Amino acid sequence: MERQVFHVEARFKGRVQGVGFRFQTLHVARGYEVAGTVQNLPDGDVLLHAEGAEREVSEFFDAVCCEMKAFIKDVEKKTFFAPACARGFRIIP
């Protein structure tokens, strides 16, 4: 059986594109043992997927929210356990 890891999928709403959100998220990710992606969506939102140990992912998510709070109006977040599917953390263009 594949090892289950903690996942966060979050959709950030607000003035989150054109303000360096993805690049700052990538920078924050370097301080945590997380894998995943961050990408701009056509409707102006930003989608974040992060996975790893529950504590690392939760602390990473909180750090992103704190770092970018001036631009975030709302966050739709879901968490779940599933097999790991990402390697490293990257921006999806």
Side-chain angles (χ1 to χ4, degrees), residues 19-37:
V19 295
F21 195 103
R22 294 175 302 155
F23 294 99
Q24 189 59 34
T25 300
L26 180 63
H27 177 73
V28 172
R30 291 182 180 137
Y32 296 88
E33 290 185 31
V34 297
T37 58

Side-chain angles (χ1 to χ4, degrees), residues 64-85:
V64 170
C65 289
C66 183
E67 190 76 27
M68 302 306 291
K69 67 184 172 194
F71 305 104
I72 300 168
K73 185 182 278 186
D74 189 33
V75 181
E76 294 174 359
K77 173 185 168 188
K78 64 181 178 178
T79 61
F80 55 95
F81 285 89
C85 59

